[in-house]
Amino acid sequence: MRDFKIVHIEETDSTNRWMKENGEGKMVVVADYQTAGKGCGSNSWESERGKNLLLSILVHPQQLEAKNQFIVTQIVSVALCKTLEEYVSAPVEIKWPNDIYVGDKKICGVLIENKLQGCMIKDSIIGIGLNVNQQAFKSDAPNPVSIRQLTGRETDLKELLSVFLKHLENTAQSKTNPADYRNRMYRRQGLHPFRTKSICFNARIIGVNDDGRLMLQDENGVAHLYAFKEVVFVI
Ligand code: BTN
């Protein structure tokens, strides 16, 4: 990420929103605190002031069709795993589509917002909330965890950011991201419970399609494809 401009701000409502309004060229914005951090859907993102990594990255993918946008999710998720593996000893996994988990707990959330031009992606804002030094979580987020809670140690946020940006740069050049993503998937082995709007069922993960849909095989051997939000893990 050598030619990225890095901007540090003390407080904003949301780094993704800040980037939408102020971003230009290739840019990373990092905030100490968000007053209205956005999670996926209508969720908010909790983060104590100065304790965690809150950032948004503005990139301009070349020749990336909207139908292939899942590659951005794969790159970012794999780079986050590689980063966290340097800090925690337990396996770091990707809960489809892009939550980063340690055990059954969420250590990092990703919110990618794309701007399209026709069928191509013009700008992509990659928002990342990584729980680092926070010791207690107050919101009703179901299962948060931080590096501090896992290791008992404080982590230097600046150093962590630079480790992540290094991994992101390297991972973006890699040809093995779909396989690396697949090999790091949470609950990638065995039967596990899932829930759709109408039913709960046990299934095994077969993989993820190029368009990012999750492929599951139910107990009867029947394969199903699910888009984001159509199915959730029962944890
Ligand atoms: C999720 O719900 O899992 C996604 C959470 C994404 C949170 C990050 S924090 C930095 C960036 N700015 C935001 O407002 N949201 C993302």
Side-chain angles (χ1 to χ4, degrees):
M1 312 289 287
R2 264 155 282 154
D3 39 357
F4 276 68
K5 179 178 177 190
I6 300 183
V7 177
H8 175 242
I9 45 181
E10 283 184 7
E11 180 175 315
T12 181
D13 50 0
S14 147
T15 56
N16 270 31
R17 199 217 45 81
W18 186 96
M19 192 61 98
K20 248 176 249 170
E21 230 152 71
N22 305 293
E24 48 186 26
K26 299 179 189 173
M27 195 184 248
V28 179
V29 62
V30 193
D32 295 337
Y33 186 66
Q34 296 182 129
T35 54
K38 290 198 282 178
C40 288
S42 54
N43 297 339
S44 58
W45 185 255
E46 173 192 350
S47 180
E48 207 179 313
R49 188 181 295 272
K51 296 283 186 185
N52 302 312
L53 259 191
L54 303 168
L55 67 138
S56 297
I57 306 168
L58 176 62
V59 292
H60 312 281
Q62 302 293 310
Q63 312 288 331
L64 179 61
E65 290 186 56
K67 66 178 166 68
N68 296 326
Q69 61 187 272
F70 193 67
I71 189 67
V72 179
T73 298
Q74 286 176 326
I75 293 169
V76 173
S77 307
V78 169
L80 283 166
C81 287
K82 289 178 183 167
T83 304
L84 283 163
E85 281 160 7
E86 294 195 24
Y87 290 83
V88 303
S89 48
V92 183
E93 296 177 316
I94 304 161
K95 179 170 151 285
W96 175 84
N98 59 12
D99 287 343
I100 308 300
Y101 265 53
V102 178
D104 287 325
K105 292 185 176 260
K106 177 164 169 173
I107 194 162
C108 180
V110 178
L111 177 65
I112 300 177
E113 298 183 279
N114 290 321
K115 190 168 169 187
L116 303 184
Q117 193 164 57
C119 59
M120 308 300 278
I121 297 194
K122 185 168 171 274
D123 307 320
S124 188
I125 295 176
I126 302 159
I128 295 167
L130 175 49
N131 298 331
V132 185
N133 292 320
Q134 188 159 336
Q135 299 207 51
F137 292 87
K138 298 176 188 70
S139 73
D140 51 5
N143 46 5
V145 74
S146 67
I147 298 178
R148 174 75 171 81
Q149 287 175 318
L150 292 168
T151 63
R153 285 190 301 274
E154 290 281 309
T155 295
D156 184 275
L157 294 176
K158 240 178 139 178
E159 186 192 285
L160 178 62
L161 175 65
S162 98
V163 171
F164 169 63
L165 294 177
K166 177 197 76 187
H167 279 301
L168 188 60
E169 183 169 20
N170 292 340
T171 307
Q173 309 298 323
S174 166
K175 300 265 179 285
T176 59
N177 288 315
D180 292 344
Y181 178 97
R182 168 83 186 78
N183 292 335
R184 286 184 158 90
M185 280 181 90
Y186 171 75
R187 293 191 171 170
R188 62 192 169 278
Q189 271 160 4
L191 276 174
H192 296 280
F194 292 86
R195 182 160 37 82
T196 65
K197 269 196 189 115
S198 49
I199 53 160
C200 268
F201 60 102
N202 287 318
R204 66 179 76 249
I205 293 176
I206 305 173
V208 178
N209 263 15
D210 288 350
D211 62 8
R213 282 184 296 167
L214 182 66
M215 269 182 282
L216 296 179
Q217 185 181 49
D218 68 22
E219 282 173 299
N220 303 317
V222 181
H224 304 266
L225 269 178
Y226 295 97
F228 182 41
K229 301 264 182 189
E230 286 178 355
V231 70
V232 294
F233 289 79
V234 178
I235 296 171

